[in-house]
Amino acid sequence: MKVLVIGLGGVTNGGKTTLAKRLGKQLPNCSILYQDDFFKPESEIEIDEHGFKQYDVLDALYMEEMVTSIYSWMKNPTGSSVSTAESKSTPLNLKSTEEVHILIAEGFLLYNYEPLNEVWDRKYFLTIPYEECKRRRSTRVYQPADPPGYFDGHVWPMYLKHKREMKENTNNIVYLDGTKSEEDLFSHVYNDIVRELETWNK
């Protein structure tokens, strides 16, 4: 049995979850792990000098638990607590991959935590421009809700900081334009993964 671990990172509201779910329905033996499931409770989130809760940093997440979950899945994909997506169909050219299990880990801070550096077989990162990101973010309802000025005072500066650090310390990331259609993004990543699996079968 082989395992393929795919990172699907990127900016907030860049389309990560939508893409992950769609891939999960079309790829065989595919499980999805969401980084958002590892947020600490609100009472444990630090507050900066501007009164903004520091959600967009690694310290806001139980990252050790996330690492443990990924390695647990890698050892035993079928017995893991990570939820398996319901695949609609297996393409003809992937019929021989029944012994391959795929994990898509989706999140906004996947490539800035050193203990995860060794797990990725493929790394993707969705980007969208500032204005589009701010517009999309304003249409979402969060718990707790974003206070006034939160996007410009915390979310976007942290994104730029982490993206810069990621580029300095991580290689082989495939950058995706999150303003493209869902169909274009899906086709790009799906075909990339299928090609990867086909090389495993040769």
Side-chain angles (χ1 to χ4, degrees):
M1 182 178 67
K2 297 177 181 177
V3 296
L4 180 70
V5 182
I6 298 163
L8 187 55
V11 65
T12 177
N13 293 276
K16 302 181 297 297
T17 304
T18 301
L19 180 55
K21 287 180 176 178
R22 188 158 178 197
L23 289 166
K25 288 178 179 176
Q26 298 297 332
L27 291 166
N29 306 322
C30 187
S31 302
I32 304 175
L33 181 140
Y34 300 99
Q35 189 173 36
D36 283 1
D37 290 341
F38 296 89
F39 270 116
K40 294 175 181 177
E42 187 181 356
S43 59
E44 292 184 35
I45 304 298
E46 293 186 13
I47 299 174
D48 71 2
E49 66 273 19
H50 305 294
F52 292 137
K53 283 190 174 287
Q54 301 293 286
Y55 272 104
D56 289 50
V57 297
L58 285 169
D59 282 346
L61 297 147
Y62 291 120
M63 288 304 297
E64 289 181 10
E65 287 186 18
M66 184 175 176
V67 173
T68 299
S69 293
I70 291 175
Y71 275 104
S72 173
W73 179 91
M74 290 170 71
K75 288 178 185 172
N76 184 13
T78 56
S80 164
S81 60
V82 179
S83 62
T84 302
E86 289 189 21
S87 179
K88 289 180 180 174
S89 61
T90 301
L92 289 173
N93 55 347
L94 291 184
K95 286 295 183 187
S96 57
T97 61
E98 272 138 23
E99 287 307 304
V100 174
H101 289 262
I102 300 168
L103 176 68
I104 297 173
E106 177 264 291
F108 70 107
L109 268 181
L110 297 182
Y111 312 126
N112 299 73
Y113 190 64
E114 195 168 333
L116 281 178
N117 288 350
E118 303 301 315
V119 305
W120 312 117
D121 293 299
R122 307 287 298 181
K123 291 178 284 194
Y124 300 94
F125 191 89
L126 281 152
T127 65
I128 52 176
Y130 164 84
E131 291 293 348
E132 176 63 11
C133 187
K134 189 172 185 177
R135 184 193 69 76
R136 291 186 189 183
R137 178 95 180 192
S138 70
T139 66
R140 293 273 297 274
V141 178
Y142 289 91
Q143 283 298 334
D146 284 355
Y150 191 65
F151 183 85
D152 288 313
H154 175 63
V155 176
W156 191 254
M158 285 297 102
Y159 162 67
L160 294 178
K161 174 180 180 288
H162 291 129
K163 186 181 176 189
R164 186 169 58 249
E165 291 172 355
M166 178 185 76
K167 283 186 170 182
E168 290 172 358
N169 300 312
T170 311
N171 299 318
N172 303 318
I173 295 174
V174 177
Y175 291 90
L176 304 170
D177 180 357
T179 63
K180 288 189 174 180
S181 70
E182 289 180 17
E183 186 61 41
D184 283 348
L185 290 167
F186 168 77
S187 295
H188 181 107
V189 178
Y190 177 80
N191 291 327
D192 204 18
I193 294 168
V194 168
R195 282 192 294 271
E196 175 91 5
L197 293 175
E198 285 172 344
T199 65
W200 290 19
N201 292 327
K202 288 179 180 176

